[in-house]
Amino acid sequence: MRAEHPKLAAGLAALGIDVRSGTSLSELTSLGIGGTTDLLRITKHDSIPDLIELLEHHNIPYKFLGGGSNLLVGDGELPWVILQLAKPDPEIVLEGNFAHVDAAADLGRTVTFCAKHDLGGMEGLIGVPGTVGGALRMNAGAYGMQIGSYVREVKLYRAAERKIEILKGNQISFEYRHTSFGPDDMMLAVTLELPSKPFKEILQGIRICNEKRRSSQPLGQKSAGCIFKNPLGASAGRMIDELGLKGLSVGDAKVSDRHANFFVNAGHASAKDMLALISDVRGRVENAFGVKLENEVVVWNA
Ligand code: EPU
């Protein structure tokens, strides 16, 4: 989808939107898969309601991209433009135990920045790729913690209200890899309340989580993390492994040899390959265990 109409282009320029034509989503996603479209980079949160109105006026569908680390995007020319927040400077402002963080901030850098200021709690998230906004929307978690536990306030564009709003932490429900945000809501900024801990102690926790992750996950390869959610009381990775499916592939899309719930792009996998692999594995697990695995990865397919 191209944002080419001269009136649209003028409107975008007036809103300070940086247009990057013909961007390949394979360059913006950790899976390295995805077709081409125009990327609109937002420099001011306040421009979002007008931007959405402008796009709708010109019948341009859009999707909002975070860090692209939990996302499988379809192939070819994509039928929507992509909106993404540009990173502000600074991305994080600390105030006592509160960290005010822009949604575009890198999650790992946020964890280490807070740690250096003796604010802990998020050690488990070290090594989870992506932005703070993406982690917030999905309620990212690992090693017994989830980001939702620390959220005190969220600034977001509420698609249903067509305006920017501030929600208190207790107005949002955070469940396992699920939140009460609307599907089209855009995370803009968050205030986290983090426990005080000495840097050295946080560093120790970070090292342990890093080591666990390194020993069990295919970190150097292109992936979107876990493909399926864990069913209640079970592990998707263990079930896939028990069926002997590590290494199973469709084209260059492959079940990781290291962790069976990670599917990697071992070369030039297409979305079609990856979707076929997901469907094949889901079918085999359902036949063997009677459990229909639900996607953890977000799929944007035309
Ligand atoms: N297991 C196997 N074979 C495998 C993979 C796992 O037997 O190929 C076994 C492990 O030995 C372990 C159990 O399955 O006994 C659980 O495995 P693991 O500790 O790796 O955790 P997981 O449930 O597979 C979850 C999250 C990860 C997160 C880790 C660590 C989900 C879907 N996955 O994985 O999150 O990093 O715990 O806390 O909830 C993600 O969200 O993308 C993600 C990778």
Side-chain angles (χ1 to χ4, degrees), residues 29-254:
T29 56
S30 57
L31 256 178
I33 293 177
T36 305
T37 187
D38 284 356
L39 171 69
L40 313 186
R41 304 251 303 159
I42 299 163
T43 48
K44 289 176 290 210
H45 292 168
D46 291 348
S47 67
I48 294 173
D50 289 342
L51 169 63
I52 302 299
E53 203 180 304
L54 184 68
L55 292 173
E56 288 181 352
H57 177 76
H58 287 272
N59 293 318
I60 305 276
Y62 53 87
K63 288 198 179 281
F64 192 62
L65 177 72
S69 59
N70 191 40
L71 187 61
L72 170 55
V73 184
D75 304 311
E77 179 70 26
L78 301 169
W80 5 262
V81 296
I82 297 292
L83 314 183
Q84 192 180 40
L85 295 177
K87 288 186 199 305
D89 187 19
E91 297 173 327
I92 310 170
V93 174
L94 299 180
E95 196 185 347
N97 284 69
F98 295 98
H100 306 286
V101 192
D102 193 89
D106 177 78
L107 180 62
R109 277 212 306 274
T110 302
V111 175
T112 46
F113 180 89
C114 292
K116 282 179 190 157
H117 292 84
D118 300 318
L119 293 175
M122 297 204 294
E123 293 84 333
L125 289 177
I126 201 74
V128 174
T131 59
V132 167
L136 184 62
R137 156 163 277 305
M138 289 295 292
N139 190 22
Y143 306 115
M145 61 78 55
Q146 52 181 31
I147 193 169
S149 317
Y150 301 103
V151 172
R152 297 296 169 260
E153 203 167 88
V154 173
K155 178 184 174 196
L156 74 171
Y157 171 74
R158 276 291 228 191
E161 317 293 331
R162 302 187 155 261
K163 60 179 192 199
I164 290 174
E165 282 184 7
I166 308 265
L167 293 181
K168 294 287 176 202
N170 60 13
Q171 293 176 280
I172 308 159
S173 90
F174 290 101
E175 291 153 44
Y176 167 63
R177 299 295 196 275
H178 180 80
T179 58
S180 52
F181 298 119
D184 298 328
D185 289 351
M186 298 179 193
M187 306 298 109
L188 302 179
V190 60
T191 298
L192 303 167
E193 185 180 6
L194 301 170
S196 298
K197 257 195 212 178
F199 176 51
K200 272 193 174 167
E201 206 179 295
I202 303 172
L203 204 58
Q204 182 73 0
I206 285 178
R207 286 209 178 107
I208 293 170
C209 293
N210 261 336
E211 190 39 50
K212 280 194 199 162
R213 208 178 279 286
R214 252 199 306 271
S215 65
S216 63
Q217 300 182 357
L219 300 188
Q221 287 179 282
K222 290 181 187 167
S223 85
C226 286
I227 287 286
F228 301 111
K229 290 184 184 179
N230 283 335
L232 203 64
S235 158
R238 185 183 292 142
M239 290 193 280
I240 300 167
D241 193 1
E242 275 175 16
L243 294 178
L245 302 181
K246 280 182 170 167
L248 181 75
S249 59
V250 175
D252 279 338
K254 189 175 157 205

